Amino acid sequence: MLIDSHCHPDGDEFDDDRAAMFERAAAAGVDGLVAIGGGAEPGTLAVGLECARTFQGHAGLKLWATVGIHPHDAARATSPANAAIWEELGQLAADPLIIAIGEIGLDYHYHHSPKEAQRDAFERQLRLAAACGLPVSVHCREAFDDCVALIAAHNPPARGVFHCFAGSWAEAEQALALGWYLSFSGVLTFNNAHGLRATAAAAPADRILIETDAPFLAPVPYRGKRNEPAFVAATAARLAEIRNVSPEAIARLTRENFFRLFPRAIL
Ligand SMILES: [Zn+2]
Ligand SMILES: [Zn+2]
């Protein structure tokens, strides 16, 4: 059975068929998934958690969630008007369904928030994760050096995963040296992703996860369409091919890795 370690099932892309989307995931061999949090103002942070609660057990699925402020939203979240968001984040993080702080990190590609605000929000949330004893799910785009520097500077060292990892082998080595995990998404199946496939082939078996990041980044043969958790099976199949092991072996090891990284996740 497969676990989609990072997706956004609360997204309005699924408003018309959310229950059926979960049923398709179960039919595709998924038995657990993580609804990633969002929000930038007080009162908006529980989107993933609410989705996980509402659909808990639907089609036999186990749903977990995260809470966190995305780098895109860092400017709003760090503005004095929204100061209450930080206490709320800490309160939500205590919920037993919350298995990580995320997605947090740095995004210098879209640059929706100034770098300073992004780094501030990231650091605050690394501290929060440490205080709660939770791992983190990191979104990092064109900001790898800064991400690694902030993670490494943190004491005690943060534990976590680079979600939707699409970096170079040299970057993978740095992430692995920190004891971190790499999560592969549908990008792994894209025609031009030769370098990423080489990285996925060489990464240690005990450090890899799979995810969809649905509704974004649908894997081949669904590329360009709305992504959904069922499609994690296509990424798992490609990862099995790349590593020359059976799909069952990939399901087993990514599952073991998931439960090791996220100890609060209990089936
Ligand atoms: Zn992301
Ligand atoms: Zn995401």
Side-chain angles (χ1 to χ4, degrees):
M1 300 295 277
L2 298 164
I3 291 176
D4 184 354
S5 69
H6 183 121
C7 59
H8 301 269
D10 62 289
D12 47 14
E13 293 85 352
F14 299 115
D15 281 354
D16 292 336
D17 66 342
R18 192 167 285 106
M21 173 269 287
F22 285 127
E23 287 152 25
R24 286 192 294 275
V30 174
D31 68 344
L33 56 88
V34 182
I36 298 296
E41 287 158 21
T44 64
L45 291 175
V47 283
L49 185 59
E50 277 162 16
C51 184
R53 279 183 186 145
T54 305
F55 287 93
Q56 195 60 261
H58 187 75
L61 288 174
K62 180 73 196 188
L63 276 73
W64 301 281
T66 70
V67 279
I69 291 152
H70 194 283
H72 290 341
D73 299 318
R76 271 198 293 162
T78 54
S79 93
N82 290 325
I85 202 171
W86 298 98
E87 196 182 330
E88 192 179 320
L89 199 56
Q91 283 163 0
L92 286 168
D95 190 287
L97 279 182
I98 296 294
I99 62 164
I101 302 297
E103 55 186 295
I104 62 175
L106 303 173
D107 190 318
Y108 296 169
H109 177 77
Y110 286 111
H111 218 265
H112 289 322
S113 285
K115 287 183 180 179
E116 263 317 304
Q118 293 193 35
R119 287 193 283 255
D120 182 20
F122 188 28
E123 281 196 292
R124 286 197 208 193
Q125 293 181 96
L126 287 172
R127 283 198 295 273
L128 172 69
C132 300
L134 285 171
V136 296
S137 178
V138 161
H139 171 108
C140 173
R141 192 150 181 209
E142 293 174 23
F144 190 79
D145 290 347
D146 280 8
C147 268
V148 164
L150 289 177
I151 290 164
H154 201 76
N155 190 18
R159 300 176 60 251
V161 55
F162 282 96
H163 110 80
C164 200
F165 184 78
S168 65
W169 175 246
E171 290 172 344
E173 279 187 312
Q174 288 184 63
L176 294 165
L178 287 170
W180 277 47
Y181 291 67
L182 309 174
S183 179
F184 296 102
S185 68
V187 175
L188 190 70
T189 69
F190 293 178
N191 283 342
N192 58 357
H194 305 291
L196 186 60
R197 283 190 283 275
T199 294
D206 61 354
R207 298 291 190 80
I208 55 180
L209 296 178
I210 47 173
E211 66 171 270
T212 58
D213 204 15
F216 316 109
L217 296 171
V220 171
Y222 314 102
R223 190 173 179 183
K225 297 187 181 155
R226 180 189 70 173
N227 198 3
E228 60 177 64
F231 300 166
V232 77
T235 300
R238 193 67 206 269
L239 186 58
E241 210 177 282
I242 292 165
R243 294 179 66 93
N244 205 17
V245 297
S246 68
E248 293 74 24
I250 284 297
R252 194 168 53 244
L253 75 90
T254 53
R255 188 180 189 83
E256 285 169 7
N257 295 343
F258 175 84
F259 287 113
R260 190 183 322 112
L261 175 61
F262 301 113
R264 231 194 243 177
I266 297 165
L267 267 182

